[in-house]
Amino acid sequence: MIDDRPDCSILLIDDEPFAQDIIAHGLKGCVRHSLCYESSAARAVEVARAVAATVVLVDLRMPGLDGFEVTALLRAHPDTEDVPVIVLSSEDNPEIKARAFAAGANDYLVKWPDPRELVARVRYHSGACIARRERDAAFASLRVSQEQLAASQSALHQAQKMEAIGQLTGGVAHDFNNVLQIIGGNLQLLKLVGNLNDSARARVDMALTGVERGAKLAAHLLAFARRQPLQSVVVDPGHLLRDMDDMMRRVLGPSAQVFTEIEPGLGSTTVDPDQLNNVLLNLAINARDAMGGNGTLKIRAANVDASTGASATLPPEVTQGDYVMIEVADTGKGMPQEVLLRAFEPFFTTKPTGQGTGLGLSMAYGFVKQSGGEIVLRSEIGQGTSVRIYLPRSDAAPTVLEPIHSLPLAGGLETILVVGDEDAVRDSTSAILSALGYEVLEAPDAAVAIDIIESGRHVDLVFSDVIMPGPVTSLQLGEVVRKRLPQAKLLYTSGYAEGLLSHEGKVDASVHLLQKPYHPDALSARIRHLLRSPRHPRAAATGDKSAGRAHLGLM
């Protein structure tokens, strides 16, 4: 006989041990069943839960608790309230039967029932119990699925909203940077050649301060939009955190405590160290404000390793993998749920007007996403806030970074080709370079620049915008420069280097990029640095000293 129905888990409660033998004999025809005997009526609920009973047979007359009371106990417990109960009794009395059903019994059998009837009743009630459990499990699973679907839809909606905001802010930042470059460039040119008196120079400096503030705002917008060109290298985040320790303590103030915990053997990660530094500093400032200058800030860095199973502790927002996790946690006042849901949106802030831009967390969000990682925010009212950054771990050795030295404004006598479609930006930049002594050539797009190069004009450096209209891209211009002018240097500039120079937002190490809006000091320093090393092959081969001429004595 083949029976593919679910197993029956039968619990018999009777104070007479021989009852077990009688019931076991009667159930011989019931395949795929298990029978558990219990003589103590007081343990009915405990044993029923332990054996996951699908039907309980209980004797009516027992010392202590009788069958009515056992049935009532089973019905009173949430884990056994739906388990079918069959009362066994030697009394074939309608009143007793009615009382048993009133107590919650599902069936009533007079001792000792025919085996065929016993098997049929047990099978029927057990099957109903299993079907009910399967139905409840299905409904619970459906409820979980619906909750997960709702959560996924909410996450998708949030991601789409963030992406739409990112595209908008990225485009705005691009145009904003060009406007700032026009304003800043002309103001700097005015300072350089305008013979200003002290009052006028002070006014120009005030205007330039506004340009710098605008530049920082645009940089934050680009960071959120994941459109900032990242100068990513392999870094040791533990070393970076140790270097920042003193700065963090100064930011938090003397009334707050700072604890830094770095796991031994912390891995490396590929990231822009300056941007990571800015993100951590912004998180520390947010923590300070949330704690009101008091409290404890804990900075923790650890490996999260998928191969050892540690990734099982990853939050659902983070895909499985090997990460370096950096956590910044404070003991501040925390955030309510409605604030937590909007915390990464640009310009959203809970601080009073004038005390916060609402760009700190949005900048962190964009930077981490652009770096291939995830950022997870957790907070509860009165329990503080935790920000965890998960960055993909790298097996490569950390890059040794060369120190950057600030140089004074410097010029030269070389020839520079300035390429850009924004007339006002190109004109102001060319005027600054001319004032520094350079011979300047101008091109409104890459095609005209190629014509100038093909004409045979000597060019020492090409300074080109990244995004320009026309049939020729800035990258194609770069290929022509490398082919036709191998001795020339190539410096790009952009306020929005999307799609051309960046691979996943990371600038290749061989690409030299100056972000808009740039200061004349930064422009001159980058140009002098590129023109200094290596020496021009033409000069080295011919001994032509003109290729390395002095540049206003400001080397």
Side-chain angles (χ1 to χ4, degrees):
M1 179 179 179
I2 299 176
D3 187 354
D4 59 355
R5 282 172 287 188
D7 293 339
C8 301
S9 177
I10 305 163
L11 171 61
L12 172 63
I13 301 175
D14 198 311
D15 60 313
E16 297 290 349
F18 68 84
Q20 180 181 9
D21 297 331
I22 296 175
I23 294 299
H25 177 76
L27 291 174
K28 282 185 177 180
C30 182
V31 298
R32 295 178 60 185
H33 78 277
S34 61
L35 176 62
C36 177
Y37 170 71
E38 175 57 49
S39 61
S40 173
R43 298 187 65 235
V45 172
E46 176 187 349
V47 178
R49 294 176 63 198
V51 301
T54 59
V55 63
V56 176
L57 302 175
V58 57
D59 189 25
L60 182 61
R61 302 299 182 186
M62 294 182 291
L65 300 177
D66 60 21
F68 301 123
E69 294 170 309
V70 171
T71 301
L73 284 176
L74 291 168
R75 289 290 168 262
H77 197 283
D79 291 345
T80 58
E81 61 181 352
D82 293 326
V83 178
V85 177
I86 301 175
V87 174
L88 297 174
S89 175
S90 58
E91 304 172 61
D92 190 6
N93 185 319
E95 290 186 5
I96 295 177
K97 290 180 181 180
R99 185 181 171 190
F101 287 122
N106 298 82
D107 210 340
Y108 189 99
L109 287 176
V110 178
K111 292 181 179 179
W112 295 104
D114 184 276
R116 291 169 296 182
E117 181 181 8
L118 176 64
V119 169
R121 298 287 182 98
V122 167
R123 277 267 178 81
Y124 172 78
H125 291 296
S126 182
C129 178
I130 292 172
R132 184 164 49 252
R133 289 176 179 175
E134 290 175 346
R135 179 204 63 192
D136 292 345
F139 276 123
S141 176
L142 178 61
R143 186 163 51 251
V144 170
S145 297
Q146 289 175 331
E147 291 172 354
Q148 291 175 341
L149 177 61
S152 298
Q153 290 174 334
S154 176
L156 176 61
H157 174 73
Q158 181 73 3
Q160 290 173 335
K161 181 178 71 173
M162 298 290 271
E163 185 65 26
I165 296 174
Q167 291 177 356
L168 174 63
T169 54
V172 169
H174 168 247
D175 293 338
F176 192 36
N177 273 330
N178 276 332
V179 172
L180 290 173
Q181 186 59 55
I182 294 170
I183 298 171
N186 282 284
L187 288 171
Q188 291 289 355
L189 184 61
L190 193 59
K191 281 185 63 176
L192 192 63
V193 298
N195 295 320
L196 302 176
N197 58 34
D198 291 342
S199 177
R201 184 175 291 275
R203 293 290 180 182
V204 169
D205 286 339
M206 289 175 62
L208 286 172
T209 300
V211 170
E212 291 178 2
R213 289 179 61 186
K216 291 179 180 179
L217 174 64
H220 287 170
L221 290 175
L222 285 174
F224 168 74
R226 288 174 266 172
R227 302 294 188 269
Q228 61 176 342
L230 296 179
Q231 301 283 348
S232 297
V233 295
V234 180
V235 301
D236 176 359
H239 180 70
L240 184 145
L241 289 173
R242 293 184 189 95
D243 286 347
M244 291 187 67
D245 190 68
D246 288 341
M247 182 186 297
M248 291 289 194
R249 296 180 190 280
R250 287 196 297 270
V251 166
L252 268 292
S255 300
Q257 292 183 304
V258 180
F259 294 99
T260 301
E261 180 182 318
I262 301 174
E263 178 181 296
L266 185 68
S268 302
T269 185
T270 303
V271 73
D272 186 319
D274 292 335
Q275 294 297 335
L276 179 58
N277 190 303
N278 289 339
V279 165
L280 295 174
L281 188 58
N282 271 294
L283 294 180
I285 292 172
N286 283 346
R288 178 199 64 194
D289 295 343
M291 296 188 298
N294 297 295
T296 300
L297 179 72
K298 184 175 182 180
I299 302 171
R300 185 168 66 93
N303 293 323
V304 180
D305 195 343
S307 62
T308 61
S311 61
T313 61
L314 285 173
E317 298 94 327
V318 183
T319 57
Q320 297 293 305
D322 295 342
Y323 296 95
V324 172
M325 187 278 294
I326 302 175
E327 179 183 24
V328 179
D330 64 60
T331 57
K333 55 190 176 183
M335 307 179 196
Q337 186 65 21
E338 61 272 16
V339 172
L340 197 61
L341 291 174
R342 300 188 58 192
F344 288 131
E345 293 181 16
F347 300 113
F348 177 78
T349 179
T350 57
K351 296 177 182 178
T353 303
Q355 295 187 22
T357 63
L359 289 172
L361 281 177
S362 62
M363 181 191 69
Y365 172 89
F367 163 72
V368 174
K369 287 281 191 177
Q370 191 175 348
S371 301
E374 293 289 346
I375 183 168
V376 178
L377 180 64
R378 297 286 187 266
S379 185
E380 292 184 23
I381 293 293
Q383 300 298 317
T385 299
S386 165
V387 181
R388 290 189 177 188
I389 296 172
Y390 294 84
L391 296 170
R393 204 158 76 238
S394 172
D395 295 328
T399 303
V400 179
L401 300 177
E402 295 182 7
I404 299 176
H405 302 288
S406 298
L407 297 175
L409 190 65
L413 301 176
E414 292 89 352
T415 300
I416 298 176
L417 172 58
V418 179
V419 187
D421 62 301
E422 287 272 355
D423 293 342
V425 175
R426 189 179 68 252
D427 290 346
S428 63
T429 299
S430 297
I432 291 173
L433 293 175
S434 295
L436 292 175
Y438 294 106
E439 180 181 356
V440 179
L441 307 175
E442 294 187 45
D445 57 43
V448 174
I450 290 176
D451 290 340
I452 293 174
I453 293 171
E454 297 284 358
S455 71
R457 289 294 303 269
H458 172 72
V459 176
D460 294 290
L461 183 141
V462 176
F463 183 49
S464 173
D465 206 345
V466 171
I467 298 179
M468 295 179 290
V472 182
T473 68
S474 58
L475 287 183
Q476 291 171 325
L477 170 61
E479 291 298 324
V480 172
V481 171
R482 281 185 281 272
K483 180 179 178 182
R484 299 300 302 270
L485 299 173
Q487 85 286 353
K489 302 299 180 181
L490 183 60
L491 176 61
Y492 289 106
T493 183
S494 180
Y496 185 77
E498 171 72 6
L500 288 179
L501 300 181
S502 306
H503 174 64
E504 297 179 351
K506 301 177 178 66
V507 178
D508 189 272
S510 64
V511 174
H512 301 288
L513 178 69
L514 182 62
Q515 290 182 249
K516 294 179 183 176
Y518 45 81
H519 192 280
D521 289 354
L523 175 62
S524 68
R526 290 297 294 274
I527 289 176
R528 290 316 320 160
H529 175 75
L530 289 174
L531 291 176
R532 273 203 311 268
S533 59
R535 304 298 292 178
H536 297 321
R538 178 168 57 86
T542 64
D544 182 4
K545 294 182 171 37
S546 64
R549 287 176 290 183
H551 42 281
L552 305 184
L554 299 174
M555 188 76 167

Short mmCIF file of all heavy atoms in Angstrom, two decimals, residues 8-59:
data_model
loop_
_atom_site.label_atom_id
_atom_site.label_comp_id
_atom_site.label_asym_id
_atom_site.label_seq_id
_atom_site.Cartn_x
_atom_site.Cartn_y
_atom_site.Cartn_z
N CYS A 8 1.43 11.43 10.22
CA CYS A 8 0.61 11.76 11.39
C CYS A 8 1.49 11.70 12.64
O CYS A 8 2.17 10.70 12.86
CB CYS A 8 -0.55 10.76 11.54
SG CYS A 8 -1.65 10.68 10.12
N SER A 9 1.47 12.76 13.42
CA SER A 9 2.18 12.75 14.70
C SER A 9 1.10 12.68 15.78
O SER A 9 0.42 13.66 16.06
CB SER A 9 3.02 14.02 14.86
OG SER A 9 3.64 14.03 16.12
N ILE A 10 0.98 11.48 16.38
CA ILE A 10 -0.13 11.21 17.29
C ILE A 10 0.39 11.20 18.73
O ILE A 10 1.38 10.54 19.04
CB ILE A 10 -0.78 9.85 16.97
CG1 ILE A 10 -1.21 9.81 15.49
CG2 ILE A 10 -1.98 9.59 17.87
CD1 ILE A 10 -1.48 8.40 14.98
N LEU A 11 -0.30 11.93 19.59
CA LEU A 11 0.03 11.96 21.02
C LEU A 11 -1.13 11.32 21.79
O LEU A 11 -2.28 11.75 21.66
CB LEU A 11 0.24 13.40 21.50
CG LEU A 11 0.39 13.59 23.02
CD1 LEU A 11 1.59 12.82 23.56
CD2 LEU A 11 0.48 15.07 23.37
N LEU A 12 -0.80 10.29 22.57
CA LEU A 12 -1.80 9.61 23.39
C LEU A 12 -1.56 9.98 24.85
O LEU A 12 -0.46 9.78 25.38
CB LEU A 12 -1.71 8.10 23.22
CG LEU A 12 -2.56 7.26 24.18
CD1 LEU A 12 -4.06 7.54 23.99
CD2 LEU A 12 -2.25 5.76 24.02
N ILE A 13 -2.57 10.52 25.50
CA ILE A 13 -2.47 10.88 26.93
C ILE A 13 -3.45 9.99 27.70
O ILE A 13 -4.68 10.10 27.54
CB ILE A 13 -2.81 12.36 27.16
CG1 ILE A 13 -1.84 13.24 26.35
CG2 ILE A 13 -2.75 12.71 28.63
CD1 ILE A 13 -2.17 14.71 26.40
N ASP A 14 -2.89 9.09 28.50
CA ASP A 14 -3.72 8.13 29.24
C ASP A 14 -2.92 7.67 30.46
O ASP A 14 -1.71 7.45 30.35
CB ASP A 14 -4.08 6.94 28.35
CG ASP A 14 -5.27 6.15 28.90
OD1 ASP A 14 -5.26 5.82 30.10
OD2 ASP A 14 -6.19 5.88 28.11
N ASP A 15 -3.60 7.53 31.59
CA ASP A 15 -2.88 7.13 32.79
C ASP A 15 -2.64 5.63 32.85
O ASP A 15 -1.89 5.15 33.72
CB ASP A 15 -3.64 7.58 34.04
CG ASP A 15 -5.02 6.95 34.11
OD1 ASP A 15 -5.74 6.96 33.08
OD2 ASP A 15 -5.40 6.47 35.19
N GLU A 16 -3.25 4.87 31.96
CA GLU A 16 -3.06 3.42 31.93
C GLU A 16 -2.10 3.06 30.81
O GLU A 16 -2.41 3.25 29.62
CB GLU A 16 -4.40 2.71 31.69
CG GLU A 16 -5.42 2.92 32.80
CD GLU A 16 -5.02 2.20 34.09
OE1 GLU A 16 -4.08 1.38 34.06
OE2 GLU A 16 -5.65 2.46 35.13
N PRO A 17 -0.90 2.50 31.13
CA PRO A 17 0.09 2.19 30.11
C PRO A 17 -0.42 1.20 29.05
O PRO A 17 0.03 1.26 27.89
CB PRO A 17 1.25 1.60 30.91
CG PRO A 17 1.11 2.20 32.28
CD PRO A 17 -0.38 2.29 32.51
N PHE A 18 -1.35 0.28 29.44
CA PHE A 18 -1.79 -0.70 28.45
C PHE A 18 -2.54 -0.03 27.30
O PHE A 18 -2.68 -0.61 26.21
CB PHE A 18 -2.67 -1.78 29.10
CG PHE A 18 -4.02 -1.27 29.57
CD1 PHE A 18 -5.08 -1.17 28.69
CD2 PHE A 18 -4.21 -0.91 30.89
CE1 PHE A 18 -6.32 -0.71 29.13
CE2 PHE A 18 -5.45 -0.45 31.33
CZ PHE A 18 -6.51 -0.34 30.45
N ALA A 19 -3.05 1.20 27.53
CA ALA A 19 -3.76 1.91 26.46
C ALA A 19 -2.84 2.14 25.26
O ALA A 19 -3.29 2.14 24.11
CB ALA A 19 -4.31 3.22 26.98
N GLN A 20 -1.55 2.31 25.55
CA GLN A 20 -0.60 2.53 24.46
C GLN A 20 -0.56 1.32 23.54
O GLN A 20 -0.53 1.46 22.31
CB GLN A 20 0.79 2.82 25.03
CG GLN A 20 1.85 3.06 23.95
CD GLN A 20 3.22 3.33 24.55
OE1 GLN A 20 3.41 3.18 25.75
NE2 GLN A 20 4.17 3.71 23.71
N ASP A 21 -0.57 0.12 24.11
CA ASP A 21 -0.52 -1.10 23.30
C ASP A 21 -1.78 -1.24 22.46
O ASP A 21 -1.72 -1.63 21.28
CB ASP A 21 -0.35 -2.32 24.20
CG ASP A 21 0.97 -2.29 24.96
OD1 ASP A 21 1.94 -1.69 24.41
OD2 ASP A 21 1.04 -2.83 26.07
N ILE A 22 -2.93 -0.93 23.06
CA ILE A 22 -4.20 -1.07 22.33
C ILE A 22 -4.23 -0.09 21.15
O ILE A 22 -4.58 -0.47 20.02
CB ILE A 22 -5.39 -0.82 23.27
CG1 ILE A 22 -5.42 -1.90 24.37
CG2 ILE A 22 -6.70 -0.81 22.50
CD1 ILE A 22 -6.48 -1.66 25.42
N ILE A 23 -3.87 1.17 21.40
CA ILE A 23 -3.90 2.17 20.34
C ILE A 23 -2.85 1.86 19.27
O ILE A 23 -3.11 1.98 18.06
CB ILE A 23 -3.67 3.59 20.91
CG1 ILE A 23 -4.85 3.98 21.83
CG2 ILE A 23 -3.53 4.61 19.81
CD1 ILE A 23 -6.20 4.02 21.14
N ALA A 24 -1.68 1.44 19.70
CA ALA A 24 -0.63 1.10 18.73
C ALA A 24 -1.08 -0.04 17.83
O ALA A 24 -0.83 -0.03 16.62
CB ALA A 24 0.66 0.73 19.46
N HIS A 25 -1.76 -1.03 18.42
CA HIS A 25 -2.27 -2.16 17.63
C HIS A 25 -3.34 -1.67 16.64
O HIS A 25 -3.36 -2.08 15.47
CB HIS A 25 -2.85 -3.22 18.55
CG HIS A 25 -3.45 -4.38 17.80
ND1 HIS A 25 -2.69 -5.35 17.20
CD2 HIS A 25 -4.76 -4.69 17.56
CE1 HIS A 25 -3.50 -6.22 16.59
NE2 HIS A 25 -4.77 -5.84 16.81
N GLY A 26 -4.21 -0.77 17.10
CA GLY A 26 -5.27 -0.28 16.23
C GLY A 26 -4.76 0.58 15.09
O GLY A 26 -5.41 0.70 14.05
N LEU A 27 -3.59 1.18 15.26
CA LEU A 27 -3.04 2.07 14.24
C LEU A 27 -2.09 1.37 13.28
O LEU A 27 -1.42 2.03 12.47
CB LEU A 27 -2.29 3.24 14.90
CG LEU A 27 -3.16 4.26 15.66
CD1 LEU A 27 -2.27 5.26 16.39
CD2 LEU A 27 -4.09 5.00 14.69
N LYS A 28 -2.04 0.03 13.34
CA LYS A 28 -1.14 -0.69 12.43
C LYS A 28 -1.44 -0.39 10.97
O LYS A 28 -0.56 -0.38 10.12
CB LYS A 28 -1.22 -2.18 12.69
CG LYS A 28 -0.45 -2.64 13.92
CD LYS A 28 -0.46 -4.16 14.05
CE LYS A 28 0.39 -4.61 15.25
NZ LYS A 28 0.37 -6.10 15.39
N GLY A 29 -2.70 -0.18 10.67
CA GLY A 29 -3.07 0.12 9.28
C GLY A 29 -2.83 1.56 8.88
O GLY A 29 -3.08 1.94 7.73
N CYS A 30 -2.34 2.38 9.80
CA CYS A 30 -2.08 3.80 9.50
C CYS A 30 -0.59 3.96 9.21
O CYS A 30 0.24 4.02 10.13
CB CYS A 30 -2.50 4.66 10.69
SG CYS A 30 -2.27 6.44 10.42
N VAL A 31 -0.25 3.97 7.94
CA VAL A 31 1.16 4.06 7.57
C VAL A 31 1.67 5.47 7.78
O VAL A 31 0.89 6.43 7.85
CB VAL A 31 1.38 3.63 6.10
CG1 VAL A 31 0.96 2.19 5.89
CG2 VAL A 31 0.62 4.55 5.16
N ARG A 32 2.99 5.57 7.90
CA ARG A 32 3.69 6.86 8.04
C ARG A 32 3.12 7.67 9.19
O ARG A 32 2.75 8.82 9.05
CB ARG A 32 3.60 7.67 6.74
CG ARG A 32 4.32 7.02 5.57
CD ARG A 32 4.18 7.82 4.30
NE ARG A 32 4.76 9.17 4.50
CZ ARG A 32 4.70 10.13 3.58
NH1 ARG A 32 4.07 9.88 2.45
NH2 ARG A 32 5.25 11.29 3.81
N HIS A 33 3.05 7.03 10.34
CA HIS A 33 2.61 7.75 11.52
C HIS A 33 3.60 7.50 12.66
O HIS A 33 4.39 6.55 12.62
CB HIS A 33 1.21 7.30 11.96
CG HIS A 33 1.21 5.99 12.70
ND1 HIS A 33 1.21 4.77 12.05
CD2 HIS A 33 1.22 5.70 14.04
CE1 HIS A 33 1.23 3.79 12.94
NE2 HIS A 33 1.23 4.33 14.17
N SER A 34 3.56 8.39 13.66
CA SER A 34 4.35 8.20 14.86
C SER A 34 3.41 8.35 16.05
O SER A 34 2.50 9.18 16.03
CB SER A 34 5.50 9.23 14.94
OG SER A 34 4.98 10.55 14.98
N LEU A 35 3.65 7.51 17.07
CA LEU A 35 2.79 7.52 18.26
C LEU A 35 3.65 7.81 19.48
O LEU A 35 4.66 7.15 19.72
CB LEU A 35 2.08 6.17 18.43
CG LEU A 35 1.22 6.02 19.69
CD1 LEU A 35 0.07 7.04 19.70
CD2 LEU A 35 0.72 4.59 19.81
N CYS A 36 3.25 8.84 20.23
CA CYS A 36 3.96 9.20 21.47
C CYS A 36 2.99 9.02 22.63
O CYS A 36 1.84 9.48 22.57
CB CYS A 36 4.44 10.64 21.39
SG CYS A 36 5.24 11.23 22.90
N TYR A 37 3.45 8.36 23.67
CA TYR A 37 2.59 8.10 24.84
C TYR A 37 3.05 8.97 26.00
O TYR A 37 4.26 9.11 26.27
CB TYR A 37 2.65 6.62 25.23
CG TYR A 37 1.99 6.33 26.55
CD1 TYR A 37 0.59 6.38 26.67
CD2 TYR A 37 2.75 6.03 27.69
CE1 TYR A 37 -0.02 6.14 27.90
CE2 TYR A 37 2.14 5.78 28.90
CZ TYR A 37 0.76 5.84 29.01
OH TYR A 37 0.14 5.60 30.22
N GLU A 38 2.09 9.57 26.71
CA GLU A 38 2.38 10.38 27.88
C GLU A 38 1.33 10.07 28.95
O GLU A 38 0.12 10.18 28.71
CB GLU A 38 2.34 11.87 27.54
CG GLU A 38 2.52 12.80 28.73
CD GLU A 38 3.82 12.55 29.48
OE1 GLU A 38 4.89 12.47 28.83
OE2 GLU A 38 3.76 12.40 30.73
N SER A 39 1.81 9.68 30.16
CA SER A 39 0.89 9.31 31.23
C SER A 39 0.48 10.50 32.10
O SER A 39 -0.52 10.44 32.82
CB SER A 39 1.53 8.24 32.13
OG SER A 39 2.73 8.75 32.71
N SER A 40 1.25 11.61 32.03
CA SER A 40 0.95 12.78 32.86
C SER A 40 0.12 13.78 32.07
O SER A 40 0.59 14.39 31.11
CB SER A 40 2.26 13.43 33.34
OG SER A 40 1.99 14.65 33.99
N ALA A 41 -1.11 13.95 32.49
CA ALA A 41 -2.00 14.89 31.79
C ALA A 41 -1.49 16.33 31.89
O ALA A 41 -1.72 17.15 31.00
CB ALA A 41 -3.41 14.79 32.38
N ALA A 42 -0.79 16.64 32.97
CA ALA A 42 -0.30 18.01 33.17
C ALA A 42 0.75 18.40 32.13
O ALA A 42 0.98 19.60 31.90
CB ALA A 42 0.28 18.15 34.57
N ARG A 43 1.38 17.42 31.49
CA ARG A 43 2.42 17.70 30.50
C ARG A 43 1.88 17.69 29.08
O ARG A 43 2.64 17.66 28.11
CB ARG A 43 3.56 16.69 30.62
CG ARG A 43 4.28 16.72 31.98
CD ARG A 43 5.50 15.81 31.98
NE ARG A 43 6.51 16.28 31.05
CZ ARG A 43 7.03 15.55 30.07
NH1 ARG A 43 6.62 14.31 29.87
NH2 ARG A 43 7.96 16.05 29.26
N ALA A 44 0.59 17.73 28.91
CA ALA A 44 -0.03 17.59 27.59
C ALA A 44 0.47 18.66 26.62
O ALA A 44 0.89 18.35 25.49
CB ALA A 44 -1.55 17.66 27.72
N VAL A 45 0.43 19.91 27.03
CA VAL A 45 0.84 21.00 26.13
C VAL A 45 2.32 20.89 25.81
O VAL A 45 2.74 21.02 24.65
CB VAL A 45 0.52 22.36 26.77
CG1 VAL A 45 1.12 23.49 25.94
CG2 VAL A 45 -0.98 22.55 26.90
N GLU A 46 3.14 20.66 26.83
CA GLU A 46 4.59 20.57 26.64
C GLU A 46 4.96 19.48 25.64
O GLU A 46 5.75 19.71 24.71
CB GLU A 46 5.25 20.29 27.99
CG GLU A 46 6.76 20.07 27.93
CD GLU A 46 7.34 19.63 29.26
OE1 GLU A 46 6.61 19.69 30.29
OE2 GLU A 46 8.50 19.19 29.26
N VAL A 47 4.37 18.28 25.80
CA VAL A 47 4.71 17.17 24.92
C VAL A 47 4.14 17.39 23.53
O VAL A 47 4.79 17.08 22.52
CB VAL A 47 4.21 15.84 25.51
CG1 VAL A 47 4.52 14.68 24.58
CG2 VAL A 47 4.82 15.60 26.88
N ALA A 48 2.93 17.92 23.44
CA ALA A 48 2.32 18.18 22.13
C ALA A 48 3.18 19.13 21.30
O ALA A 48 3.35 18.95 20.09
CB ALA A 48 0.92 18.74 22.31
N ARG A 49 3.73 20.12 21.96
CA ARG A 49 4.62 21.05 21.25
C ARG A 49 5.92 20.37 20.85
O ARG A 49 6.43 20.60 19.75
CB ARG A 49 4.94 22.25 22.15
CG ARG A 49 3.73 23.13 22.46
CD ARG A 49 4.11 24.24 23.42
NE ARG A 49 5.10 25.14 22.84
CZ ARG A 49 5.86 25.98 23.53
NH1 ARG A 49 5.77 26.01 24.86
NH2 ARG A 49 6.72 26.77 22.93
N ALA A 50 6.44 19.50 21.75
CA ALA A 50 7.73 18.86 21.49
C ALA A 50 7.66 17.92 20.28
O ALA A 50 8.61 17.83 19.49
CB ALA A 50 8.21 18.11 22.72
N VAL A 51 6.54 17.18 20.14
CA VAL A 51 6.43 16.19 19.06
C VAL A 51 5.69 16.76 17.85
O VAL A 51 5.45 16.04 16.88
CB VAL A 51 5.74 14.92 19.55
CG1 VAL A 51 6.50 14.29 20.70
CG2 VAL A 51 4.28 15.18 19.94
N ALA A 52 5.34 18.05 17.91
CA ALA A 52 4.58 18.68 16.83
C ALA A 52 3.36 17.84 16.47
O ALA A 52 3.14 17.46 15.32
CB ALA A 52 5.46 18.90 15.60
N ALA A 53 2.58 17.55 17.49
CA ALA A 53 1.43 16.65 17.31
C ALA A 53 0.45 17.21 16.30
O ALA A 53 0.15 18.41 16.28
CB ALA A 53 0.73 16.46 18.66
N THR A 54 -0.05 16.32 15.44
CA THR A 54 -1.11 16.70 14.50
C THR A 54 -2.48 16.19 14.97
O THR A 54 -3.49 16.57 14.38
CB THR A 54 -0.80 16.14 13.10
OG1 THR A 54 -0.70 14.71 13.17
CG2 THR A 54 0.49 16.72 12.56
N VAL A 55 -2.50 15.35 15.99
CA VAL A 55 -3.75 14.92 16.61
C VAL A 55 -3.42 14.40 18.02
O VAL A 55 -2.36 13.81 18.24
CB VAL A 55 -4.46 13.84 15.77
CG1 VAL A 55 -3.62 12.58 15.67
CG2 VAL A 55 -5.85 13.52 16.34
N VAL A 56 -4.30 14.69 18.99
CA VAL A 56 -4.10 14.25 20.37
C VAL A 56 -5.29 13.36 20.76
O VAL A 56 -6.45 13.75 20.62
CB VAL A 56 -4.02 15.45 21.34
CG1 VAL A 56 -3.91 14.95 22.78
CG2 VAL A 56 -2.82 16.34 21.00
N LEU A 57 -4.95 12.14 21.25
CA LEU A 57 -5.94 11.23 21.83
C LEU A 57 -5.83 11.35 23.35
O LEU A 57 -4.75 11.14 23.91
CB LEU A 57 -5.67 9.79 21.40
CG LEU A 57 -5.66 9.52 19.88
CD1 LEU A 57 -5.26 8.06 19.61
CD2 LEU A 57 -7.02 9.79 19.28
N VAL A 58 -6.93 11.71 24.02
CA VAL A 58 -6.86 11.93 25.45
C VAL A 58 -7.97 11.14 26.16
O VAL A 58 -9.14 11.16 25.74
CB VAL A 58 -6.96 13.44 25.79
CG1 VAL A 58 -8.23 14.06 25.23
CG2 VAL A 58 -6.84 13.68 27.29
N ASP A 59 -7.57 10.43 27.20
CA ASP A 59 -8.53 9.67 27.99
C ASP A 59 -9.39 10.64 28.80
O ASP A 59 -8.90 11.66 29.29
CB ASP A 59 -7.78 8.71 28.92
CG ASP A 59 -8.73 7.75 29.62
OD1 ASP A 59 -9.83 7.49 29.07
OD2 ASP A 59 -8.37 7.28 30.71
#
